[in-house]
Amino acid sequence: MKRCGVVVLLLCGLCAATVFAKPGVVKTRDGQTYAGELDESNPETIVVTAGKIPTAVPRSRIASIEYSADFEKKFRDRLGKLDPKDVPNRLKLAREAYDNRQYLLAREAAEQARQIDPNNADAASMVETIQSQIRLERMQAAQPSAAAPGDAAAPGGAGGATTQAAADKLLKPDQINAIRQAELRPDDAGVRINFARDVKKRFMEYAGLTPREIADMPTSVLVQRIIKEGTPEMRRDVVIQSDPPSLLEFRRNVQPFILNNCATSGCHGMVNPAKLSLITPGDSEAAMYTNFYLLQNHVKKIPGSGDNVFGRAELRAIDRQAPPQSLILQYALPGSISEFDHPDVIGYRAPYRGTNDPRYQQVLHWIGETLIAVPPDYGFSFGPKPASQPATAPVTAPATRPAVATRPVARPPVGPVQPRGAQPGATGQPTRPPR
């Protein structure tokens, strides 16, 4: 009888949690945002479930809670008060809704903006980004079985992703933490960090510091010192619990665009050892970081480069030293202006209209300014070896470009981004000989 009573209580608790869970958004005092199903049944924490992954947020860290019903009412009130021709504020509302995972509302505002001004590139880009995210969410919801926290779909074609998670195809938590540590910039704010196993005290004794020096040291500085000066065991005990800004931007803006345009069943969404294969859908933590790692380490040989010490022997999918040369930018440009053309694929159409396309500028800014300048060493090897097949060569060999060794750490003001080395007043068009 007692055992039956316990089972009944557990079932009641599960039912209560389901009843109490409502879609909403939690914002913390350090600037983090969590959107999903909110369960407030625990007096000490709020559990936010997004993409089948629950996250417990202590109430002491929470700055505000807003449920989707309240958000939608405020959204529609603001949308209804806008001037019939007000495009900028409609796009502003769309971005707010997108950041709060209210994708249908975001699409509604963005579509209105595009209908008002069909030639507005920002509106077109926003609609495409939202549509991509909606498709990813629907693919995840269509999976027949719920994934356990940390699981993700194995590589497969968009619209037909394999539902059986392949552990050997995805990064492990310690590898994800190593990437977060390597990509964390000293000026990054709002990143959650856990110092496990009393690592602060261990590092203090190891480095010969005083308790006062440790207490006065900003968290970002302490993290960097432990990572750079501590032992491997100490580095492993610095657990980065949320995305650094560069990886958060990849998750929100860069990856959805790439998966929507590249990870199709006939391109980079299928398992093919001869070329880059991405994980779809990429909304789990393991899948997203695996895709980032694969793109970061993907290279292609340049045909005819030979032993020319002044030329470049390979191209990278993400080139931090020469961002405009990144393949994720070059292959997305029309063949009439790209320096390296996308390989022939039936039905492929370049998603960027040119180098002034806002989507191109967004990815260019991410590579050139948000990511750290020098590709870091993550301390592990994963996945297939870098691709050896040559990149498609330009009709006329590009002019020799000197390697860029450094770039400023400071982030530029919001606005159109010029490729590194562009002269004032330049349009952002890559310099190259006529085709």
Side-chain angles (χ1 to χ4, degrees):
M1 290 297 292
K2 289 183 179 180
R3 186 173 300 173
C4 292
V6 171
V7 172
V8 170
L9 287 175
L10 288 174
L11 291 175
C12 290
L14 291 173
C15 293
T18 303
V19 171
F20 291 140
K22 298 178 182 178
V25 176
V26 171
K27 294 185 178 180
T28 62
R29 303 181 190 279
D30 56 2
Q32 295 294 314
T33 299
Y34 301 88
E37 296 289 327
L38 308 187
D39 180 4
E40 292 196 66
S41 58
N42 190 317
E44 297 181 356
T45 62
I46 291 181
V47 178
V48 184
T49 303
K52 303 173 185 176
I53 300 176
T55 302
V57 184
R59 290 182 181 270
S60 59
R61 292 184 53 236
I62 294 175
S64 66
I65 302 173
E66 186 169 33
Y67 285 98
S68 297
D70 299 330
F71 182 89
E72 181 176 359
K73 183 178 184 304
K74 294 178 182 178
F75 174 89
R76 296 199 177 282
D77 288 344
R78 294 170 63 188
L79 186 62
K81 294 177 181 178
L82 293 179
D83 184 272
K85 301 295 183 182
D86 190 344
V87 170
N89 280 316
R90 279 177 169 80
L91 291 179
K92 181 180 177 181
L93 277 177
R95 292 187 186 96
E96 289 181 16
Y98 183 87
D99 290 341
N100 285 276
R101 297 175 64 93
Q102 301 294 321
Y103 303 124
L104 296 180
L105 296 178
R107 184 175 62 181
E108 179 181 340
E111 281 285 6
Q112 286 188 15
R114 187 168 67 168
Q115 290 173 8
I116 295 169
D117 184 2
N119 296 320
N120 189 296
D122 288 341
S125 175
M126 190 70 194
V127 170
E128 184 172 336
T129 299
I130 296 168
Q131 285 288 87
S132 172
Q133 189 63 34
I134 289 175
R135 278 192 287 271
L136 289 175
E137 296 272 333
R138 286 175 177 171
M139 280 193 292
Q140 181 196 19
Q143 294 180 8
S145 60
D151 285 350
T162 306
T163 57
Q164 180 66 34
D168 59 335
K169 300 294 184 183
L170 298 171
L171 292 176
K172 304 299 187 292
D174 60 328
Q175 295 171 323
I176 293 173
N177 190 55
I179 293 177
R180 284 174 168 169
Q181 288 183 353
E183 298 291 349
L184 186 68
R185 293 168 53 146
D187 57 341
D188 286 342
V191 180
R192 301 196 315 278
I193 298 168
N194 176 37
F195 294 98
R197 299 198 304 169
D198 207 16
V199 69
K200 285 185 181 182
K201 182 178 179 181
R202 288 156 50 207
F203 178 73
M204 178 187 70
E205 296 171 350
Y206 178 81
L209 301 173
T210 66
R212 183 68 179 178
E213 288 174 322
I214 290 290
D216 292 343
M217 195 178 299
T219 299
S220 59
V221 175
L222 179 58
V223 168
Q224 294 294 330
R225 289 199 59 177
I226 296 176
I227 292 174
K228 294 176 181 178
E229 303 171 23
T231 64
E233 291 76 14
M234 292 177 185
R235 290 196 293 272
R236 283 195 291 269
D237 289 336
V238 178
V239 183
I240 314 296
Q241 296 180 307
S242 60
D243 298 332
S246 59
L247 294 169
L248 183 61
E249 184 172 347
F250 177 80
R251 182 194 293 270
R252 289 181 173 178
N253 300 320
V254 180
Q255 179 184 246
F257 179 81
I258 292 174
L259 293 184
N260 186 43
N261 290 280
C262 303
T264 59
S265 59
C267 198
H268 297 291
M270 61 188 301
V271 179
N272 185 344
K275 63 180 181 181
L276 174 67
S277 297
L278 299 175
I279 310 295
T280 56
D283 49 355
S284 77
E285 184 174 272
M288 186 276 283
Y289 275 87
T290 301
N291 285 337
F292 173 79
Y293 181 93
L294 293 174
L295 288 168
Q296 169 61 38
N297 289 276
H298 183 69
V299 298
K300 278 195 173 184
K301 300 294 182 182
I302 299 179
S305 60
D307 297 324
N308 181 2
V309 296
F310 298 104
R312 304 186 63 196
E314 63 186 24
L315 290 173
R316 306 189 68 88
I318 299 174
D319 192 333
R320 306 186 191 211
Q321 294 299 302
Q325 298 292 306
S326 301
L327 288 178
I328 63 174
L329 291 173
Q330 283 290 313
Y331 280 1
L333 287 169
S336 59
I337 63 174
S338 65
E339 293 188 41
F340 295 91
D341 299 340
H342 190 285
D344 291 334
V345 175
I346 296 176
Y348 179 77
R349 183 177 180 181
Y352 298 141
R353 293 187 293 273
T355 57
N356 289 323
D357 189 311
R359 298 166 298 176
Y360 174 95
Q361 290 289 323
Q362 184 180 53
V363 178
L364 178 65
H365 179 272
W366 174 70
I367 298 173
E369 301 300 336
T370 307
L371 289 171
I372 60 176
V374 180
D377 180 7
Y378 300 135
F380 65 88
S381 179
F382 174 84
K385 295 181 179 179
S388 59
Q389 67 271 29
T392 305
V395 176
T396 304
T400 301
R401 296 172 182 265
V404 181
T406 59
R407 59 181 170 86
V409 175
R411 298 175 182 175
V414 177
V417 179
Q418 300 294 342
R420 189 172 299 135
Q423 298 299 320
T427 61
Q429 181 90 354
T431 303
R432 67 180 183 93
R435 301 176 67 82

